[in-house]
Amino acid sequence: MLIFLTGFATVVTLVTCDVLRIRRPDTPLPKAAIYTAAALLSLICVSLVARLIQLF
């Protein structure tokens, strides 16, 4: 369940970054949005690697 919620939050963050980029293409993205997306993506990757290690 935690991986699903983290994945959902990651998708929401990435969509938000894309929407901000489309609405205001000339301004840079907020640093908080970039750091949040990166943190969530790294959490997903670590969770998936841990699950794969458990399977093997």
Side-chain angles (χ1 to χ4, degrees):
M1 186 66 170
L2 179 64
I3 292 176
F4 172 75
L5 292 176
T6 308
F8 183 71
T10 304
V11 170
V12 168
T13 305
L14 292 174
V15 169
T16 302
C17 287
D18 287 340
V19 167
L20 287 174
R21 189 171 298 179
I22 290 170
R23 290 188 72 202
R24 294 181 285 163
D26 53 342
T27 60
L29 288 173
K31 296 261 188 216
I34 294 171
Y35 292 149
T36 303
L40 288 171
L41 283 173
S42 66
L43 184 62
I44 286 287
C45 291
V46 168
S47 298
L48 288 175
V49 167
R51 291 286 181 183
L52 286 174
I53 290 172
Q54 285 178 352
L55 288 175
F56 296 117

